[in-house]
């Protein structure tokens, strides 16, 4: 059986520039709006396709060094093409942030948007790393998502995935077991509560302040959400279904989102927190 276009998209995390307009790109501007002064160095953790780095380079001519750390080679390649005009002001490194390696300098600014839940349960390591890589007076600006979590640990994107799996024939109550057997930890379990995170941050960094917003996702059709899911979550969830059902799975996620849009006026909404962290 040939691989469908949406499966290829999910495998390569393609189409993120377009998909991220629905949610993640708003974090980029929100975070950069908090930057004061004239930073000379920036490290973006989980830099994706380089959108935050690009915007920061445009906004802050003072930036002499903008470094992105990212796990996905597809995303690094897309970021490298996007950032090529900025020459030696930019460096991109392949990195696994659950086992972060030291860099030979400290940064005025460290950023991380829409990434922390992927580091669960090892988030503490990135806070220890950031504490060791912040220049005196520097700040670590971080966004975290907080979907409501049900008694089985599901919430946010898990709910759309559950709808899709039910459409494909899995009884509602059996969805958590199916995900567990496939090694898929629900995203609402990965996203710790604010209090849990404060306890993880506390030993390494001080919380200088925070902001909060409600991230509301709306779509104009099922196909738009199908592509958002593939570009954002890749094959994380789809691996829980047999290969021949995957195109139908992505389609069903899109249809579930569109049903919610029509019933509620949005697909989802959840609080997002912007943490302003400094050295202790
Ligand atoms: C939702 S995207 C956010 C990208 C970008 N920060 C933004 O706000 O648009 C999550 C990013 O984190 C990266 N990522 C996930 N786990 C990672 C890990 N362990 N190490 C490095 N990068 C990781 C993914 O490859 C992806 O690019």
């Amino acid at each position: 059986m040939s691989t469908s276009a949406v499966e290829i998209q999910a495998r390569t995390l393609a189409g993120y520039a377009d998909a991220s307009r629905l949610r993640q790109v708003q974090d980029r501007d929100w975070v950069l709006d908090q930057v004061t002064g004239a930073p000379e160095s920036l490290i973006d953790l989980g830099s994706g396709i380089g959108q935050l780095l690009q915007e920061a380079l445009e906004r802050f001519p003072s930036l002499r060094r903008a470094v992105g750390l990212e796990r996905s080679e597809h995303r690094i390649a897309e970021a490298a093409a996007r950032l090529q005009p900025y020459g030696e002001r930019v460096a991109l490194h392949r990195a696994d942030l659950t086992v972060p390696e030291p860099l030979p300098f400290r940064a005025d600014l460290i950023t991380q948007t829409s990434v922390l839940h992927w580091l669960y349960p090892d988030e503490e390591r990135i806070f220890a790393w950031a504490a060791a890589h912040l220049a005196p007076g520097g700040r670590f600006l971080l966004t975290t998502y907080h979907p409501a979590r049900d008694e089985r640990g599901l919430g946010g994107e898990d709910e759309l995935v559950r709808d899709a799996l039910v459409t494909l024939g899995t009884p509602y109550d059996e969805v958590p077991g199916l995900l567990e057997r496939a090694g898929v930890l629900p995203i609402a379990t990965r996203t710790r509560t604010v209090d849990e995170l404060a306890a993880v941050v506390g030993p390494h960094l001080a919380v200088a302040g925070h902001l909060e917003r409600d991230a509301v996702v709306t779509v104009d059709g099922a196909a738009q959400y199908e592509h958002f899911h593939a570009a954002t979550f890749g094959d994380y969830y789809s691996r829980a279904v047999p290969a021949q059902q995957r195109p139908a799975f992505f389609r069903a996620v899109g249809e579930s989102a569109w049903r919610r849009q029509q019933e509620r006026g949005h697909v989802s909404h959840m609080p997002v927190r912007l943490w302003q962290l400094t050295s202790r």
Side-chain angles (χ1 to χ4, degrees):
M1 201 185 103
S2 65
T3 309
S4 68
V6 71
E7 286 172 276
I8 294 168
Q9 183 192 0
R11 199 171 296 156
T12 58
L13 292 164
Y16 188 76
D18 194 33
S20 61
R21 285 198 198 109
L22 286 186
R23 185 159 65 198
Q24 297 92 335
V25 116
Q26 294 157 34
D27 283 13
R28 172 196 71 186
D29 296 328
W30 195 33
V31 160
L32 293 179
D33 286 347
Q34 311 314 315
V35 177
T36 50
E40 293 190 2
S41 48
L42 160 67
I43 304 172
D44 187 33
L45 301 170
S47 45
I49 61 172
Q51 291 158 303
L52 185 142
L53 291 171
Q54 181 180 29
E55 179 66 18
L57 286 156
E58 289 293 327
R59 283 196 197 196
F60 308 111
S62 55
L63 267 184
R64 288 188 291 111
R65 180 187 257 174
V67 175
L69 303 184
E70 167 58 48
R71 183 179 59 180
S72 155
E73 58 184 318
H74 295 290
R75 291 217 157 142
I76 291 193
E78 200 173 332
R82 175 184 300 273
L83 299 170
Q84 195 265 337
Y86 301 93
E88 292 189 350
R89 293 172 77 200
V90 178
L92 299 169
H93 301 300
R94 191 140 187 230
D96 180 352
L97 299 175
T98 62
V99 280
E101 305 228 349
L103 286 179
F105 69 98
R106 289 170 180 257
D108 299 331
L109 187 60
I110 299 178
T111 52
Q112 183 177 262
T113 55
S114 312
V115 173
L116 193 69
H117 47 279
W118 293 118
L119 310 186
Y120 177 92
D122 298 316
E123 303 97 318
E124 183 163 6
R125 296 181 194 158
I126 205 64
F127 294 118
W129 184 96
H133 287 82
L134 268 185
R139 282 195 304 165
F140 178 14
L141 301 175
L142 161 78
T143 62
T144 58
Y145 283 67
H146 302 281
R149 190 191 289 170
D150 70 15
E151 65 289 346
R152 308 286 299 269
L154 273 62
E157 195 69 12
D158 308 323
E159 294 179 9
L160 297 161
V161 166
R162 174 160 46 193
D163 286 355
L165 293 173
V166 169
T167 302
L168 297 185
T170 302
Y172 185 91
D173 287 337
E174 292 179 22
V175 169
L178 175 76
L179 293 177
E180 193 179 336
R181 285 193 299 283
V184 178
L185 198 56
I187 218 81
T189 301
R190 293 179 160 277
T191 46
R192 295 186 200 253
T193 64
V194 164
D195 289 344
E196 289 165 353
L197 276 182
V200 178
V201 169
H204 304 287
L205 294 159
V207 181
H210 75 266
L211 299 168
E212 210 161 281
R213 71 180 180 95
D214 197 24
V216 183
V217 172
T218 61
V219 286
D220 7 324
Q224 190 186 11
Y225 201 87
E226 178 178 343
H227 292 299
F228 169 80
H229 180 92
T232 298
F233 297 95
D235 52 12
Y236 181 67
Y237 289 106
S238 64
R239 64 176 121 124
V241 301
Q244 68 275 18
Q245 281 195 333
R246 286 179 193 154
F249 168 79
F250 285 109
R251 206 160 44 244
V253 169
E255 283 161 4
S256 162
W258 183 230
R259 264 195 313 278
R260 280 167 188 253
Q261 173 72 43
Q262 289 168 306
E263 286 163 13
R264 307 171 186 191
H266 59 258
V267 179
S268 62
H269 73 101
M270 67 186 74
V272 188
R273 176 166 286 230
L274 196 171
W275 304 69
Q276 304 180 11
L277 306 173
T278 55
S279 300
R280 285 215 155 276

